[in-house]
Amino acid sequence: MRKPTANRPATILLTALAPVSWGTTYAVTTEFLPADRPLFTGMMRALPAGLVLLGLARVLPRGVWWGKAAVLGALNIGAFFPLLFLSAYRLPGGMAAVVGSVGPLIVVGLSAVLLGQRPTARSVLTGLVAAFGVSLVVLKAAGALDAVGVLAALAATASMSAGTVLTKRWGRPEGVGPLALTAWQLTAGGLLIAPLALLVEGAPPALDGRAVGGYLYLALANTAVAYWLWFRGIGRLTATQVTFLGPLSPLTAAVVGWAALGQTLTPVQLAGMAVAFGATVVGQLGVWPPARSAFGSAGREHREAPADLRLPTPRR
């Protein structure tokens, strides 16, 4: 059993640095990187970071974990990254990220099915309020939003939510830390994206100094370090707590878009964002009783859940 909540505030703060960092992804994507290359960008973000962490961890999967790492890598990285960047290229700052507010609701539902965890009224209500805030933004901004971008944002949220719940269910192999688990997923996801990027987008684009700097930032600080913090937090917090940290990403993205990119939001959209963000904050601050699992007690292997629900959201 883990120690009580003595270090929980510090763990929450450190884990929160991950979605805060991810909130800068969208501005970097639209301002520094080659246009319309979501697959290449996803690969450049995941694979170098995964290889760096793999070299540091020096631990490879064993047995069934080759398959589990591939599945988690596909859900949390291989599918999520391209969808995130596709949405980032097609939607204005803050918009796609707000769609990520439905992530906690998806996680609550999947946890009931896959983990046997009975949803609490508070978690469901908080998720519904967050989704309502999202609907205010999307419905009022329908004329300005791109349908493909919205669908990509929703699909990215669903993929990461499924990865979060499966990571919670599977936990980590005995003696393996979050650094190795992060390395496996980033490497597997990057290897999955690489051939797709070549087939769909063709040869890699020419990169100038700005693009190189942007990719270095995404691969190292924004991915290698941030994902390590994220999965580290997963081992110490509940799936619900981690899930409700996700909106810090769109909040950061919206602030960056307003402060650095000159983006604007209508009063109704701002109200919708406030409702969604407020709901996710309440969910994070709430006290959640340990859930019982159909696959065992609220055991250690079920505490590892994770995933990034920060959704994409750049400018345009």
Side-chain angles (χ1 to χ4, degrees), residues 9-33:
T11 299
I12 291 174
L13 289 175
L14 283 174
T15 307
L17 292 177
V20 168
S21 172
W22 294 331
T24 67
T25 302
Y26 322 118
V28 172
T29 299
T30 56
E31 299 301 311
F32 291 87
L33 305 185

Side-chain angles (χ1 to χ4, degrees), residues 158-179:
S159 179
M160 180 57 81
S161 298
T164 298
V165 175
L166 281 179
T167 306
K168 177 68 170 180
R169 177 172 178 176
W170 291 339
R172 294 195 305 260
E174 186 69 27
V176 172
L179 186 69

